């Protein structure tokens, strides 16, 4: 395999996953913004916390989240839509216990009335998704740069 062929493969290995990660994360940012702007408000209550053990790739491996350990918690929220449907939904964002609303905490929910399963806790924010957009963009730029370098190799 020639050096330029290897560079092309490396270029694709960076650019394609980076573009997919960046695009998917940006889609999540837009969906969150739309729900914050247009979503219907409802009052909910955290009824319990769902523990999620962060597992690594191999058997028995785990991922340590800073110094907080290997368990994160996602709030399960009960709320009612404007048309009276009772909902019980689990947040897609799990956090360390000290950064998760406790059971019994009242929270605001924003949801899509056409699809109430699309909902957010406005306090959650978009910061993490912007990090993924940035990482995806960085990998894409590196991949494109390697591809341009392969043209001149």
């Amino acid at each position: 395999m020639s050096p330029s062929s290897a560079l092309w493969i490396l270029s694709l290995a960076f650019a394609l996953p980076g573009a997919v990660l960046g695009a998917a994360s940006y889609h999540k940012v837009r969906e969150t913004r739309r729900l914050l702007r247009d979503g219907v408000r409802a009052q909910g209550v955290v009824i319990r916390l769902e523990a999620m053990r962060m597992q690594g790739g191999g058997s028995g491996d785990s991922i340590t989240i800073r110094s907080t350990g290997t368990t994160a918690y996602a709030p399960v929220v009960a709320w009612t839509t404007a048309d009276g449907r009772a909902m019980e939904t689990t947040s897609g964002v799990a956090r360390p216990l000290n950064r998760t609303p406790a059971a019994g905490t009242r929270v605001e929910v924003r949801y899509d009335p056409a699809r109430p399963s699309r909902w957010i806790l406005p306090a959650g924010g978009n910061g993490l998704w912007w990090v993924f957009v940035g990482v995806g963009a960085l990998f894409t730029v590196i991949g494109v740069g390697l591809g341009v370098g392969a043209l001149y190799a």
Side-chain angles (χ1 to χ4, degrees):
M1 177 183 304
S2 71
S4 64
S5 295
L7 206 50
W8 272 110
I9 292 170
L10 189 59
S11 165
L12 290 175
F14 273 90
L16 291 178
V20 169
L21 175 66
S25 299
Y26 187 69
H27 174 73
K28 186 67 176 173
V29 166
R30 288 184 50 146
E31 181 180 321
T32 300
R33 280 184 170 175
R34 185 185 60 76
L35 285 172
L36 287 172
R37 184 185 64 236
D38 302 329
V40 175
R41 294 175 192 228
Q43 288 301 310
V45 63
V46 176
I47 57 173
R48 70 179 177 279
L49 299 179
E50 199 166 285
M52 298 179 178
R53 182 152 169 78
M54 307 305 286
Q55 293 292 92
S59 61
D61 291 342
S62 64
I63 301 168
T64 301
I65 304 171
R66 295 190 197 149
S67 61
T68 59
T70 57
T71 304
Y73 299 86
V76 179
V77 181
W79 50 282
T80 305
T81 63
D83 62 2
R85 286 184 278 174
M87 303 292 292
E88 184 177 303
T89 50
T90 303
S91 175
V93 179
R95 297 188 171 150
L97 187 58
N98 64 346
R99 293 190 52 222
T100 305
T105 304
R106 294 198 172 283
V107 293
E108 179 183 307
V109 173
R110 299 269 182 102
Y111 69 95
D112 180 345
R115 288 184 60 194
S117 61
R118 286 188 181 176
W119 69 284
I120 61 164
L121 296 173
N126 259 341
L128 181 62
W129 294 111
W130 277 114
V131 169
F132 287 126
V133 169
V135 169
L138 177 65
F139 273 62
T140 303
V141 168
I142 289 170
V144 169
L146 290 170
V148 169
L151 289 174
Y152 297 105

